[in-house]
Amino acid sequence: MDGTILDSLALNDVQREAVAYLDGPELVFAGAGTGKTRVLTAKIAYLIDRGVYPSRIFAATFTNKAAREMRERVEKFINAPAAGLWIGTFHSLCCRILRREAEAIGYTQPFSIYDTNDQLTVIKRLMPAFDLDEKATPAKYLLSIISSRKSACVTPDEFEASVSGFRDREVAKLYRAYQKALRDQQAMDFDDLISNTVYMLRQNGEIREKYQEMFRWVLVDEYQDTNRAQFCLVHLLSMKHKQIFAVGDDDQSIYGWRGAMIENILSFEKEFPNTKTFKLEQNYRSTSAILKFANAAIKPNKIRARKELWTNEPPAAPVKINRFRDDRQESDYVAGECGKLIQRMPGTDIAVLFRTNSQSRVFEEAFRKRKIPYVLVGGTSFYERMEIKDCMAYLRLLVNPKDDVSFERIMNLPARGLGDKAREQLASAAKQHGLSLLEAVMQRYAESMPSRAVKGFIDLRETFELLYRSMEEEAPPAQILEDMLHHTGYMDMLTGKAAVSEEEAARVENVNELMNALSAWYEDNAGGTLSKFLEEVTLAGDVDGWNREDNAVNFMTLHCAKGLEFRNVFIVGVEDGIIPSRQNFDDEAKIEEERRLLYVGCTRAMEALECCHADQRFRFGSIQPSDPSRFIDDIPQELYTFSNSAAFFGSPARAAAFGKTAGAAPSYPPPKRPAGASAPTRTPAPDAPPKRHPPPAYDEFSQEYEPQYRMGQTVTHKTYGRGKITAISGFGPDTKITVLFGDGQRRKLMAKFAKLE
DNA sequence: CATGAGACACTTTTT
DNA sequence: GTGTCTCATG
């Protein structure tokens, strides 16, 4: 009986042992590609099969995507819906607990969740009162201190007690004021979701008892990325049954900058007595050439548990390191290679990984030029667009009238004649009566003021009265949003302009899309509330909306790529100052994290891996010289082949500088280091497929939508006249071009509508 | 008070 | 090159 489900899970020996172990705390070191997710999901399935109620299992991940995938896989294993299973991100699970117990910690039911922007708004408002000047101490910097304290579960009092300098004490006071402001506004930021749960469990014995009893099993994914607060949480929750199961890989800890403590995984055995530890070291993902390269890349790190991945796979193609003259040539090369690759495999199997989002730009241009489809994962997401945030602010305010941040955002949107002065007057009236800004408006405290703004405040109040009525009648959320857009005149504001620019057209489209998303969500989530929708949207990461598109190459940051795999991977910009980032030069621990980041990138590759670097690149608005990453120095040369394109396509002057002519590239590593004789290989790829016709679907596409624009081109628009193209973004039907017209106006246009000549 | 132009600073990664 | 903030103008 016992063995049946274990047999059906297709596990190797170590995996199987790890899944079947049930006698207390358990830590599984699971290297990249060793079946970490499989073990975690198998464990859950096994527990359920053994009779543990799904509702008594608490399984925390770091992304919604991982949680969703895991749930699906569990359900497949047990062949039934895992109803009641507590699986989700730390943030969403804590949110769920806090929503249930809100009163216990003095929050009324629907609290708002503040994202980073909201946090900054709050801090900027508070700063003047503490004599903090944005120029001397940027709000961003203050927020980072506060956030790091919060993610370590250090209260304002504890923080103040621990610092000595005058400025630090001011920061501590600001931290306290910030927490009070959030509370007044019935809001929590991301850090609060975790830390407030911890504080609540610590302080309230009854609630603690309840959840400790309830969660017989606590499982944690990516344990190496947990911060102090998350550690405290799972420690508390598992204290009663002592059945905690953590999987992770210290070599993939890449979130130290937001509080993750690699020590958590390295000291797990100390924190949880009688821990049984397993190590998964057989890699099923990559060829042995890739794995050896990755192992060598991570080896110099000192802070790590000892392990070495191995594989039964043959070496296959060697890893390549490519040197280029500049970022243009780098992107051109990658685009060309991807062009060849997508003729024999779907674009989804290919990824271009970079350290910073800003690196994507050149690649977008290169791919567009060659008409190779791509998807950019991450970047500015739909919900970060201005018009969407405006709509969301209205909705948030309807759910939580104390949400002053949202109020300030929409107070004068569309223009109601309410400016800074009106806001200040309102704020003091609200303060006097102990009300939030919206509450003060609704109770007409703003209407007796001797001010021109009164009209605006009346308008605002009437708008919200109407919306509240819709709420009471339990109109579907999409309807409420539509009412809002109509009553406030927000939609008119978007469409009403005399000359509707294409940018504004896109905004209208986005707002409509939000409405669709809202009603679709409402259909999928019977009985869902507006507040729940807002929560899901706020807690969704940018990978979450990503669907692999059949024929598009994936662009993403190295951070985004964690947990994913691709047959072909290009890591670009492997240069000092990028990987490792210049900002981390001074700190060895941070350098190690950068090295892990490179390691994460390398271990995404299944069949082929290429790392690229360029001698110079366009950064910071100018061309800057760049050296290959120091991490490359650590990798023995026999583990890769080197190709130097800088010398082949470089200027004659540059070629002369290396004392070489085309065909005989300089030795590698390049001049700054002692020459190690290597035999550079050109990138010919004898195994490359014969060139076939270009991807057909895309050609049609481009003919229809993309009449070949290039930077600097002079174009003529029906109404705006002649102008020069200054920027191109997007792709295919989404192509947008920015044109500087004769009247000095810069306009962003959708290429498919613009009809330019 | 709204609007626009221009200065300004900032680019590391994100739940 | 880009988004944000400030200041002058209507």
Side-chain angles (χ1 to χ4, degrees):
Chain A
M1 190 69 193
D2 188 322
T4 47
I5 189 162
L6 272 181
D7 290 336
S8 71
L9 297 175
L11 303 166
N12 70 25
D13 290 345
V14 192
Q15 291 172 339
R16 192 186 164 112
E17 268 184 70
V19 169
Y21 184 80
L22 297 174
D23 302 325
E26 177 180 359
L27 173 64
V28 177
F29 279 105
T34 58
K36 170 181 70 89
T37 312
R38 169 168 293 269
V39 168
L40 188 54
T41 49
K43 183 93 186 184
I44 298 174
Y46 181 63
L47 293 175
I48 295 174
D49 189 64
R50 303 255 316 184
V52 179
Y53 287 118
S55 61
R56 302 192 62 177
I57 298 173
F58 179 98
T61 65
F62 278 86
T63 67
N64 293 293
K65 189 177 158 57
R68 210 175 311 125
E69 277 174 10
M70 261 180 231
R71 175 183 288 275
E72 279 164 19
R73 283 169 74 164
V74 167
E75 291 179 340
K76 218 162 158 186
F77 280 149
I78 62 171
N79 203 14
L85 181 63
W86 285 67
I87 187 166
T89 62
F90 273 100
H91 292 89
S92 63
L93 291 172
C94 285
C95 192
R96 193 166 153 194
I97 294 176
L98 289 171
R99 294 250 185 246
R100 291 179 159 205
E101 313 295 344
E103 321 87 75
I105 55 165
Y107 274 80
T108 55
Q109 270 302 326
F111 53 82
S112 294
I113 299 171
Y114 281 0
D115 66 14
T116 314
N117 275 316
D118 303 324
Q119 292 178 286
L120 285 171
T121 307
V122 175
I123 287 181
K124 281 178 191 165
R125 278 269 169 269
L126 293 171
M127 279 170 66
F130 294 88
D131 228 15
L132 289 161
D133 176 41
E134 173 87 23
K135 275 184 206 115
T137 47
K140 239 173 137 181
Y141 165 78
L142 293 166
L143 177 59
S144 75
I145 295 178
I146 292 177
S147 175
S148 84
R149 297 302 79 207
K150 293 176 77 164
S151 60
C153 276
V154 176
T155 62
D157 290 343
E158 288 164 347
F159 181 48
E160 191 169 18
S162 75
V163 297
S164 50
F166 171 76
R167 207 174 78 156
D168 283 343
R169 274 211 297 280
E170 285 301 291
V171 176
K173 283 181 195 150
L174 178 75
Y175 175 17
R176 184 177 296 116
Y178 171 80
Q179 287 304 103
K180 182 175 182 311
L182 287 190
R183 193 163 276 267
D184 288 345
Q185 298 181 39
Q186 291 290 306
M188 295 198 199
D189 62 23
F190 289 137
D191 299 316
D192 281 329
L193 293 174
I194 319 282
S195 59
N196 280 342
T197 309
V198 169
Y199 295 146
M200 178 184 76
L201 291 173
R202 280 183 186 164
Q203 283 155 20
N204 190 317
E206 201 178 314
I207 292 177
R208 179 173 64 241
E209 187 68 27
K210 179 167 95 185
Y211 286 99
Q212 284 179 338
E213 177 56 35
M214 182 165 153
F215 296 129
R216 278 191 57 191
W217 280 86
V218 174
L219 299 95
V220 187
D221 188 21
E222 309 272 19
Y223 192 79
Q224 76 284 352
D225 284 332
T226 51
N227 61 29
R228 179 79 199 169
Q230 287 157 337
F231 163 77
C232 291
L233 178 79
V234 296
H235 189 256
L236 270 166
L237 285 180
S238 64
M239 220 135 71
K240 177 156 191 160
H241 298 291
K242 302 206 177 348
Q243 295 287 18
I244 182 166
F245 172 88
V247 294
D249 179 5
D250 47 312
D251 288 335
Q252 293 184 69
S253 171
I254 55 175
Y255 285 106
W257 52 273
R258 68 173 199 211
M261 305 201 321
I262 192 169
E263 299 80 13
N264 282 350
I265 192 167
L266 298 175
S267 61
F268 186 94
E269 286 136 314
K270 249 186 258 155
E271 300 289 350
F272 299 94
N274 305 317
T275 290
K276 173 89 176 164
T277 301
F278 296 88
K279 280 187 186 177
L280 306 182
E281 292 177 301
Q282 182 177 2
N283 174 296
Y284 295 97
R285 178 185 293 152
S286 309
T287 66
S288 115
I290 293 169
L291 200 58
K292 278 187 179 150
F293 182 90
N295 281 340
I298 194 66
K299 200 163 188 178
N301 269 15
K302 297 199 177 70
I303 310 166
R304 64 191 292 248
R306 224 192 48 209
K307 62 182 174 310
E308 181 138 339
L309 302 191
W310 58 276
T311 180
N312 281 329
E313 296 292 308
V319 174
K320 285 186 197 164
I321 293 184
N322 304 311
R323 173 179 168 189
F324 298 99
R325 187 181 66 243
D326 56 25
D327 49 347
R328 298 299 278 239
Q329 195 189 28
E330 177 190 52
S331 58
D332 193 54
Y333 166 79
V334 172
E337 291 302 295
C338 290
K340 288 185 224 158
L341 285 170
I342 54 173
Q343 289 172 49
R344 62 185 164 100
M345 67 178 69
T348 37
D349 288 341
I350 309 166
V352 178
L353 308 181
F354 31 80
R355 172 71 238 263
T356 67
N357 274 310
S358 57
Q359 287 170 263
S360 71
R361 206 182 175 74
V362 211
F363 288 90
E364 292 187 67
E365 273 168 32
F367 275 61
R368 204 179 301 117
K369 203 162 87 191
R370 291 184 185 246
K371 302 199 191 317
I372 301 164
Y374 65 86
V375 277
L376 181 61
V377 184
T380 343
S381 80
F382 179 70
Y383 288 101
E384 267 159 30
R385 282 158 215 238
M386 197 205 320
E387 62 278 12
I388 300 305
K389 293 196 86 169
D390 292 342
C391 292
M392 299 286 288
Y394 267 106
L395 296 178
R396 266 167 50 170
L397 208 43
L398 281 172
V399 170
N400 174 14
K402 291 188 185 296
D403 187 335
D404 285 350
V405 170
S406 292
F407 180 89
E408 285 187 19
R409 184 180 182 97
I410 56 90
M411 180 175 79
N412 201 31
L413 268 175
R416 297 184 179 91
L418 299 175
D420 277 354
K421 226 171 162 186
R423 199 206 67 238
E424 272 163 35
Q425 283 182 311
L426 175 65
S428 76
K431 198 172 179 187
Q432 208 180 323
H433 294 91
L435 296 172
S436 74
L437 299 179
L438 179 64
E439 286 168 341
V441 167
M442 297 313 284
Q443 298 183 24
R444 310 191 185 200
Y445 284 112
E447 291 169 28
S448 52
M449 296 188 304
S451 158
R452 295 182 284 172
V454 168
K455 227 178 95 196
F457 283 127
I458 293 177
D459 177 31
L460 201 54
R461 173 172 55 79
E462 286 173 347
T463 298
F464 271 85
E465 280 167 356
L466 274 163
L467 294 176
Y468 280 134
R469 213 161 301 147
S470 305
M471 292 271 283
E472 274 162 29
E473 287 161 11
E474 286 178 19
Q479 180 66 48
I480 294 173
L481 177 58
E482 201 178 338
D483 287 353
M484 185 284 284
L485 292 165
H486 182 75
H487 290 315
T488 57
Y490 189 90
M491 207 51 155
D492 291 342
M493 183 184 84
L494 289 185
T495 54
K497 298 250 171 76
V500 179
S501 81
E502 308 303 331
E503 194 178 349
E504 279 159 343
R507 291 220 169 114
V508 174
E509 218 162 283
N510 285 336
V511 171
N512 285 328
E513 217 171 291
L514 175 65
M515 212 133 46
N516 291 339
L518 195 49
S519 45
W521 184 88
Y522 207 63
E523 267 171 41
D524 292 348
N525 299 270
T529 58
L530 193 49
S531 141
K532 183 74 187 150
F533 173 80
L534 295 173
E535 171 190 318
E536 266 185 37
V537 164
T538 316
L539 295 182
D542 45 4
V543 199
D544 291 321
W546 171 56
N547 288 316
R548 290 197 183 209
E549 274 175 45
D550 265 357
N551 203 27
V553 174
N554 301 287
F555 290 0
M556 65 186 86
T557 63
L558 289 161
H559 282 88
C560 251
K562 193 164 78 154
L564 305 173
E565 60 180 23
F566 302 91
R567 287 169 66 189
N568 279 262
V569 169
F570 296 86
I571 305 179
V572 299
V574 187
E575 292 152 35
D576 250 40
I578 299 179
I579 322 179
S581 165
R582 172 155 283 110
Q583 307 193 21
N584 291 333
F585 276 2
D586 52 334
D587 183 341
E588 187 51 35
K590 288 181 178 171
I591 291 284
E592 291 207 355
E593 179 153 314
E594 297 276 325
R595 195 181 274 111
R596 292 193 290 269
L597 199 49
L598 180 64
Y599 174 77
V600 165
C602 293
T603 51
R604 300 309 95 197
M606 302 162 82
E607 295 168 14
L609 171 65
E610 299 193 29
C611 298
C612 303
H613 65 86
D615 290 349
Q616 53 183 34
R617 67 175 56 240
F618 197 79
R619 285 184 89 198
F620 251 120
S622 69
I623 292 171
Q624 306 199 330
S626 211
D627 285 325
S629 170
R630 63 187 71 179
F631 298 149
I632 293 179
D633 302 349
D634 300 325
I635 302 169
Q637 285 180 30
E638 60 271 22
L639 295 184
Y640 59 86
T641 59
F642 172 63
S643 109
N644 186 342
S645 301
F648 287 101
F649 305 106
S651 65
R654 190 153 193 110
F658 287 111
K660 304 278 177 179
T661 48
S667 61
Y668 190 84
K672 71 163 188 175
R673 304 186 181 83
S678 74
T681 42
R682 190 89 146 80
T683 42
D687 53 18
K691 200 169 176 163
R692 273 176 241 140
H693 54 85
Y698 232 81
D699 234 13
E700 275 171 39
F701 228 25
S702 58
Q703 272 170 21
E704 193 174 334
Y705 292 116
E706 201 176 38
Q708 296 296 320
Y709 297 115
R710 52 194 160 68
M711 305 285 279
Q713 187 183 353
T714 304
V715 292
T716 310
H717 187 272
K718 253 200 314 209
T719 45
Y720 302 130
R722 278 161 57 85
K724 222 166 101 181
I725 296 182
T726 60
I728 304 175
S729 63
F731 186 72
D734 293 327
T735 306
K736 295 174 195 68
I737 54 179
T738 307
V739 182
L740 180 62
F741 286 100
D743 58 358
Q745 298 275 321
R746 216 177 279 268
R747 293 184 180 85
K748 205 169 184 181
L749 310 167
M750 298 280 285
K752 63 176 171 178
F753 297 130
K755 299 254 167 21
L756 297 170
E757 284 159 33

